[in-house]
Amino acid sequence: MNARSRFLAAANCLPTDRPPVWLMRQAGRYLPEYRALKTKHDFVTMVRTPELATEVTLQPLQRFALDAAIIFSDILVIPEALGQPYYFREQGGIGMEAPLDRIEKIKALQKDGAADRLAYVYDALRLTRAQLGEDTALLGFCGSPWTLACYMVEGGSSKDFAKIKTLAWTEPKVFADLMETLTDTCAEYLRRQVDAGADAVQIFDSWGAICPAHLYETWSLRWIRGIIDRLGSDVPVILYAKGMCHLIPQLSATGASILSMDWTIDLAEAAALAPAHLSLQGNLDPAVLTSSPETTRAETHRVLESMAGRAGYIFNLGHGMIPSAKIECVEALVDTVVHSSPRA
Amino acid sequence: MNARSRFLAAANCLPTDRPPVWLMRQAGRYLPEYRALKTKHDFVTMVRTPELATEVTLQPLQRFALDAAIIFSDILVIPEALGQPYYFREQGGIGMEAPLDRIEKIKALQKDGAADRLAYVYDALRLTRAQLGEDTALLGFCGSPWTLACYMVEGGSSKDFAKIKTLAWTEPKVFADLMETLTDTCAEYLRRQVDAGADAVQIFDSWGAICPAHLYETWSLRWIRGIIDRLGSDVPVILYAKGMCHLIPQLSATGASILSMDWTIDLAEAAALAPAHLSLQGNLDPAVLTSSPETTRAETHRVLESMAGRAGYIFNLGHGMIPSAKIECVEALVDTVVHSSPRA
């Protein structure tokens, strides 16, 4: 099995020689070569320049025996393509230009041609595929409509998300219009990522857990289902719903092929709740990569053991890599997975 | 039934005429009278001055028909009493003086007499009880040892909590010593709050959800159990474990009498998972209080309905009140609960 066939088998819940492995935010600040490039180009320039995005995407693959590359980009390219640029706040967190604090601003979003304005992402995927070759999986991604709407309405990172929630509660029609715009744009964007060479796509519902459980379907999951419906069943879709991983039946009902688990749920318990055709991904606490190679090996082994005997598991972290992760811990993680046992 | 007997009945899973109601962070910035007092005194002064803490504690009771007052204080008074003061960062969030980044600093914590140095809290409780009378419940609280350790080791609010986790993974003995110190101090602190008039106490495990599920017992719950064991069964203990509410069997095994639920779980499902003797609290998304009185009534009613027919429910929010909450929404919430039906 090569890396790509291993990844695709696990994504389709078929047996593999061992679990495939990739790591959320595997290209990033913990890598010295990324930090070196970052001294020359700012984040948004790297995202917008296919040659740079490709270089960053491939950096972790040159160090570690990963089975998949994920295109270097940001979920906020979609709001930007709709006419609402983003920036990084000095004090940390994301800021959005001109928060959607009035209905007119939501109506003024430039939906027509939005997916076209993201051509630089498709170019980066094509360039990455050319350099990566055919034997390694390549992933695309987008933010969920709900998560994007959170940033767009709040005007960036938020403490209590009161604005987006109040909009959803008190202006359901306006909220639905915004979500339709985002759903259509995300679906088209992911389709074109697949056309440009992505083997699978991940939808990040990073802010799912700010939804009350009984409104999670209405506020977030139904729009994710809309994207997946439009993509069709030939594309494996990974859904990562941070903080909502205990709601497996609801997440599964979106039609996602793979659920990516954070660390707040025991993976064996998650597998017991999941339908047999559903693959799982993730679960290792990324902070373990700041401890020691020994602890990393032990925790990696524990996660692998919890899925022993189940097909359809993709090794990954429970959240993105953190900047203080140690290279030797990442090596210990990948080495432990690579030398692990076959999946039934 | 008066407010206090209603609260205590629900806390003990006994029938009530209707659910008692109080609101996490019910004294705070959403109240104009709080903001007025805050222009004259800083937060730490208000916490440390029994007359001011009492005034703030009673402010929401003068406006709303709440069944319980919770003493105005902060979970970080314990680190401060151990020799590590806290402050508010200009950019938001909490900072701690001299983060415990070396083992010697952990060993240097001044455990002896720490609970004595919190006499101002017991004084505030006695003064509050005197002004509140005997017919309303009065609550004390503390942070969980894990949550306090997070702040103390990270040096304040954190993005990834890599320092405390690495300590727990790589220095288990030092970590356990710190947790013993915190557990002993919390237990003594809560006991003395009860002696000073608290009818029940709440333990806030605000950072429980940063623990991997399989380490939640080792890193947090066992120390909470240590506090509850030492308090004895005569004191109702409420456990609030934000982001970990789906782990009801584990939370229940701490010996807590009441589990306070955030909004990421359906309350009826939580009740189905909970042992019959366990009371539940909470669940309403605090952001609803920024929407409209109509939406607040509907959402409050929905929460009440989900617990219809079950004894042992205390109405509350799923997290603390947010500063932009509207007074008219809080009125709608309390009014809806006050006019709701008896609990079997």
Side-chain angles (χ1 to χ4, degrees):
Chain A
M1 270 187 148
N2 65 34
R4 193 178 189 182
S5 59
R6 182 180 296 117
F7 178 88
L8 287 171
N12 287 291
C13 223
L14 298 170
T16 53
D17 55 347
R18 54 134 177 113
V21 54
W22 70 280
L23 304 170
M24 284 192 271
R25 217 181 292 147
Q26 63 192 18
R29 279 185 285 166
Y30 76 104
L31 286 175
E33 54 271 34
Y34 175 88
R35 293 195 302 270
L37 202 62
K38 188 92 179 353
T39 60
K40 290 186 259 177
H41 313 279
D42 64 63
F43 181 87
V44 176
T45 301
M46 294 200 294
V47 165
R48 289 181 145 270
T49 311
E51 293 71 22
L52 292 172
T54 297
E55 181 176 348
V56 174
T57 300
L58 295 175
Q59 281 177 343
L61 280 286
Q62 282 144 11
R63 270 188 187 266
F64 312 115
L66 298 162
D67 294 294
I70 182 164
I71 196 68
F72 178 75
S73 188
D74 195 278
I75 64 169
L76 298 174
V77 296
I78 284 196
E80 188 179 55
L82 290 166
Q84 193 188 10
Y86 64 100
Y87 60 95
F88 295 91
R89 290 178 180 155
E90 288 224 7
Q91 70 274 34
I94 300 290
M96 305 292 298
E97 306 284 354
L100 303 183
D101 54 4
R102 293 202 320 275
I103 291 170
E104 302 79 62
K105 288 192 190 169
I106 293 174
K107 290 189 177 153
L109 289 172
Q110 297 148 31
K111 183 176 168 182
D112 286 349
D116 297 332
R117 287 188 286 277
L118 294 164
Y120 60 85
V121 179
Y122 321 134
D123 289 344
L125 279 157
R126 274 185 288 265
L127 195 56
T128 299
R129 173 58 83 198
Q131 297 188 21
L132 184 66
E134 299 296 318
D135 292 348
T136 304
L138 177 57
L139 310 182
F141 71 92
C142 72
S144 74
W146 167 254
T147 292
L148 296 176
C150 284
Y151 284 113
M152 295 166 80
V153 172
E154 296 288 337
S157 311
S158 170
K159 219 174 143 71
D160 53 32
F161 296 91
K163 290 175 195 158
I164 180 67
K165 290 182 179 183
T166 291
L167 180 76
W169 265 312
T170 61
E171 300 279 359
K173 178 74 179 65
V174 177
F175 174 73
D177 286 348
L178 173 60
M179 298 306 273
E180 285 279 4
T181 294
L182 288 166
T183 301
D184 291 345
T185 309
C186 286
E188 174 70 11
Y189 177 54
L190 290 183
R191 165 49 61 194
R192 292 176 70 170
Q193 291 188 52
V194 171
D195 293 344
D199 293 304
V201 292
Q202 179 155 323
I203 300 175
F204 288 85
D205 198 14
S206 310
W207 293 123
I210 67 159
C211 297
H214 71 292
L215 291 170
Y216 191 33
E217 167 67 20
T218 315
W219 286 2
S220 183
L221 295 180
R222 63 171 286 207
W223 311 102
I224 292 172
R225 185 180 307 112
I227 295 172
I228 296 173
D229 282 350
R230 269 171 261 194
L231 270 179
S233 59
D234 56 320
V235 184
V237 177
I238 310 167
L239 173 57
Y240 174 62
K242 185 167 188 324
M244 284 305 207
C245 295
H246 54 290
L247 301 178
I248 290 181
Q250 292 93 310
L251 298 175
S252 168
T254 58
S257 321
I258 304 118
L259 297 185
S260 197
M261 296 283 111
D262 66 22
W263 58 72
T264 66
I265 186 165
D266 181 85
L267 203 51
E269 285 175 31
L273 292 169
H277 67 272
L278 192 73
S279 297
L280 296 174
Q281 174 180 279
N283 191 236
L284 183 73
D285 185 342
V288 79
L289 299 172
T290 66
S291 65
S292 68
E294 295 69 38
T295 303
T296 301
R297 280 184 190 278
E299 290 291 320
T300 301
H301 186 70
R302 201 200 55 78
V303 169
L304 288 167
E305 278 303 296
S306 70
M307 289 298 277
R310 192 189 197 272
Y313 174 58
I314 299 167
F315 196 95
N316 207 321
L317 305 174
H319 193 26
M321 187 82 76
I322 61 183
S324 54
K326 296 174 183 166
I327 300 289
E328 62 266 33
C329 289
V330 182
E331 285 168 348
L333 180 165
V334 175
D335 186 65
T336 305
V337 180
V338 165
H339 294 98
S340 66
S341 316
R343 301 287 104 173
Chain B
M1 270 185 149
N2 65 33
R4 193 180 190 181
S5 59
R6 182 179 298 118
F7 178 89
L8 287 171
N12 288 291
C13 223
L14 298 171
T16 53
D17 54 348
R18 53 136 179 114
V21 54
W22 70 280
L23 304 171
M24 286 193 269
R25 217 180 294 144
Q26 63 192 17
R29 280 184 284 164
Y30 77 104
L31 286 175
E33 54 271 33
Y34 175 88
R35 294 195 301 271
L37 202 62
K38 188 89 179 353
T39 61
K40 288 186 261 177
H41 312 280
D42 65 63
F43 181 86
V44 176
T45 302
M46 294 200 294
V47 165
R48 287 181 147 272
T49 311
E51 293 72 20
L52 292 171
T54 297
E55 181 176 349
V56 174
T57 299
L58 295 174
Q59 281 177 343
L61 280 285
Q62 281 144 13
R63 271 188 185 264
F64 312 114
L66 298 162
D67 294 295
I70 182 163
I71 196 68
F72 178 77
S73 188
D74 195 278
I75 64 168
L76 297 174
V77 296
I78 284 195
E80 187 180 56
L82 290 165
Q84 192 188 11
Y86 63 101
Y87 61 95
F88 295 91
R89 290 177 181 156
E90 289 226 4
Q91 70 272 35
I94 299 290
M96 305 291 299
E97 306 284 355
L100 304 182
D101 54 4
R102 294 201 322 274
I103 291 170
E104 303 79 62
K105 289 193 190 168
I106 293 174
K107 290 190 177 152
L109 290 172
Q110 297 148 31
K111 183 175 168 182
D112 287 349
D116 297 332
R117 288 189 284 278
L118 295 163
Y120 61 87
V121 179
Y122 321 133
D123 289 344
L125 279 157
R126 274 185 287 265
L127 195 55
T128 299
R129 174 58 81 197
Q131 296 188 21
L132 184 67
E134 300 296 318
D135 292 347
T136 304
L138 177 58
L139 311 182
F141 71 93
C142 72
S144 75
W146 166 255
T147 292
L148 296 175
C150 283
Y151 284 112
M152 294 167 81
V153 172
E154 296 288 336
S157 311
S158 170
K159 218 173 145 69
D160 53 33
F161 295 92
K163 290 175 194 157
I164 180 68
K165 289 182 178 184
T166 290
L167 179 77
W169 265 312
T170 61
E171 299 279 358
K173 176 76 178 65
V174 177
F175 174 73
D177 285 350
L178 172 60
M179 298 305 274
E180 284 280 3
T181 294
L182 288 166
T183 301
D184 290 346
T185 308
C186 286
E188 173 71 11
Y189 177 53
L190 289 184
R191 166 50 59 195
R192 292 175 70 170
Q193 290 188 55
V194 171
D195 293 345
D199 292 305
V201 292
Q202 179 156 322
I203 300 175
F204 288 85
D205 198 15
S206 310
W207 295 123
I210 67 158
C211 297
H214 71 291
L215 291 170
Y216 192 32
E217 167 68 20
T218 315
W219 286 1
S220 183
L221 294 180
R222 64 171 284 209
W223 311 103
I224 292 172
R225 185 180 307 111
I227 296 172
I228 296 174
D229 282 350
R230 268 171 261 194
L231 269 179
S233 59
D234 57 319
V235 184
V237 177
I238 310 167
L239 172 58
Y240 174 63
K242 186 167 185 331
M244 285 303 208
C245 295
H246 54 290
L247 301 178
I248 289 179
Q250 291 93 312
L251 298 174
S252 168
T254 59
S257 320
I258 304 118
L259 297 185
S260 197
M261 296 284 112
D262 65 24
W263 58 73
T264 67
I265 188 164
D266 181 84
L267 203 52
E269 284 175 31
L273 292 169
H277 67 270
L278 193 72
S279 296
L280 295 174
Q281 175 179 277
N283 191 237
L284 183 72
D285 185 342
V288 79
L289 300 172
T290 66
S291 65
S292 68
E294 296 69 39
T295 303
T296 301
R297 280 185 191 276
E299 290 291 320
T300 301
H301 187 70
R302 200 199 56 78
V303 169
L304 289 166
E305 278 304 295
S306 71
M307 290 298 277
R310 193 189 197 271
Y313 174 57
I314 298 167
F315 196 96
N316 207 320
L317 305 174
H319 193 27
M321 187 82 75
I322 61 184
S324 54
K326 296 175 183 166
I327 300 290
E328 62 267 33
C329 290
V330 182
E331 285 168 348
L333 181 164
V334 174
D335 185 66
T336 305
V337 180
V338 164
H339 294 99
S340 65
S341 316
R343 300 288 106 173

